[in-house]
Amino acid sequence: PTAASDAVVTEPYLLVLLAQRLQAQGPDKSMEVMVHTDLNFFSVRLTSGNGIPIDADYDVTGQGRVSGMRETLAVALQVSPQGTLTEDPDFSLLGLQGEIILFFDRSSGLPLQIRGVAPRIGATAINLRSVTMREARQ
């Protein structure tokens, strides 16, 4: 379909990176991305906003453990099929479908939790358990 969005990606995992960049700009920001899955095209609207406190518990390689309540910013994904679907909707992010919300730590920007609907499980959350920090490239 004609791309009427800010970006086109062929791998839904890139939405985590785009969501992190969007939330770093603060609440009330949005962008639209066209995603091409194996079989279909989807329009994904990312919208940033204030999050909720998340009870974090993860290991930072070489630096120790982080645990306790963390303030977050959230990015919600609204997914809409574009054109006629060739098969059943095949969009998912880390196996999650439906309304997907990513929660980022306000201080570090790390993705602490992703919420959505998992097939055969229902509403669920995926929590950060371990991270290896790298120096930013210039």
Side-chain angles (χ1 to χ4, degrees), residues 29 41 51:
K29 304 291 183 194
F41 290 93

Side-chain angles (χ1 to χ4, degrees), residues 35-58:
V35 177
H36 180 239
T37 61
D38 289 338
L39 303 171
N40 299 293
F41 290 93
F42 294 87
S43 173
V44 180
R45 183 161 188 81
L46 295 88
T47 305
S48 65
N50 291 311
I52 59 171
I54 298 287
D55 190 11
D57 185 17
Y58 61 93

Side-chain angles (χ1 to χ4, degrees), residues 57-127:
D57 185 17
Y58 61 93
D59 183 56
V60 180
T61 303
Q63 297 179 22
R65 190 145 206 86
V66 174
S67 62
M69 297 303 284
R70 306 293 295 179
E71 292 297 320
T72 66
L73 288 171
V75 175
L77 278 58
Q78 296 171 311
V79 181
S80 305
Q82 295 297 298
T84 304
L85 297 178
T86 59
E87 299 282 334
D88 290 334
D90 61 336
F91 179 89
S92 72
L93 179 60
L94 298 172
L96 301 178
Q97 301 168 338
E99 183 178 335
I100 300 172
I101 303 174
L102 297 93
F103 294 94
F104 295 89
D105 186 298
R106 277 187 186 262
S107 299
S108 67
L110 289 172
L112 298 178
Q113 187 178 85
I114 302 175
R115 293 183 183 183
V117 177
R120 297 185 303 270
I121 295 174
T124 193
I126 299 171
N127 295 304

